[in-house]
Amino acid sequence: IYNIEKFLPNLKFLILTGGEPTIQKKLDEDFYEKLNQYANEDLTFGMITNCSRFIGENAINFIKKNKKVIIMPSLDGVGEIGEWCRYGFKMKIFHKNLVKWIELVKDKTEYVVYDRINFRSGILINICVHNYNLFNMYDTLNYLNDLKLKKSQYILSFNNANDRYIC
């Protein structure tokens, strides 16, 4: 993070991952203020988030300046199942912040190519399906459909140490 300035002029792809980017001290408003100077049409920005917090004003401005933005909220289920599967997950907080993300990126339409896969800019829900949340997937997908996302995109990954027992 501290040496990022030498890469910024030629930066084409930046994705922030865990620990949770919205609470990392190094990814503060000063970090986004530096990034704002280099926002451009060719830069692809992505963030994987658990939606436990939202971003500050400098980060919002940076995202608004870029055309290619993918926000990837992680969701292991909704309601009690989601709260049980992911320690610290609070459905009410997740929902409040997800709605803010949806509003922030609703006008992003550019396609992003990553590792030979095309994604449309916007929200890309990351769902890890496992034995503990498998029977909550219907409710989870209904919750997401009720949000009326214009461009619904999902990544479903299946996680089971012994895949013979997953339905």
Side-chain angles (χ1 to χ4, degrees):
I1 299 296
Y2 296 110
N3 295 324
I4 196 169
E5 288 183 36
K6 65 183 176 183
F7 299 105
L8 289 176
N10 300 313
L11 192 64
K12 299 290 181 202
F13 193 88
L14 175 64
I15 185 165
L16 303 178
T17 63
E20 174 59 29
T22 61
I23 63 172
Q24 288 187 34
K25 292 185 186 339
K26 292 179 183 176
L27 300 178
D28 60 7
E29 285 292 278
D30 292 337
F31 170 77
Y32 286 103
E33 187 175 348
K34 287 178 191 173
L35 283 182
N36 267 315
Q37 299 170 29
Y38 297 96
N40 65 70
E41 293 183 6
D42 295 328
L43 175 63
T44 297
F45 175 76
M47 181 187 291
I48 299 173
T49 177
N50 61 24
C51 287
S52 59
R53 287 188 52 194
F54 198 64
I55 54 176
E57 201 60 39
N58 285 342
I60 290 170
N61 292 334
F62 172 72
I63 288 172
K64 285 180 177 180
K65 288 180 182 179
N66 287 287
K67 288 186 173 185
K68 300 175 192 171
V69 176
I70 297 179
I71 303 302
M72 296 166 272
S74 298
L75 182 62
D76 289 343
V78 294
E80 291 178 4
I81 298 296
E83 291 181 0
W84 187 84
C85 288
R86 186 178 288 257
Y87 179 77
F89 176 82
K90 301 292 182 215
M91 188 68 211
K92 191 181 249 184
I93 294 169
F94 176 89
H95 177 76
K96 177 185 76 165
N97 290 325
L98 178 59
V99 168
K100 290 178 184 179
W101 280 117
I102 292 168
E103 181 63 25
L104 180 59
V105 300
K106 70 181 178 186
D107 297 326
K108 306 293 181 191
T109 59
E110 296 288 320
Y111 276 87
V112 174
V113 178
Y114 175 72
D115 197 24
R116 298 182 307 246
I117 299 173
N118 286 325
F119 297 109
R120 192 176 321 124
S121 289
I123 302 292
L124 177 63
I125 304 291
N126 183 25
I127 302 172
C128 180
V129 182
H130 45 78
N131 287 340
Y132 300 113
N133 68 1
L134 180 63
F135 296 107
N136 185 251
M137 284 299 103
Y138 179 79
D139 292 337
T140 300
L141 292 175
N142 276 339
Y143 162 76
L144 294 170
N145 286 335
D146 288 346
L147 291 171
K148 308 256 188 279
L149 293 171
K150 291 180 184 175
K151 308 169 274 191
S152 298
Q153 301 178 108
Y154 308 105
I155 294 177
L156 294 175
S157 56
F158 295 87
N159 182 11
N160 190 345
N162 190 346
D163 61 349
R164 291 178 294 178
Y165 298 109
I166 202 162
C167 295

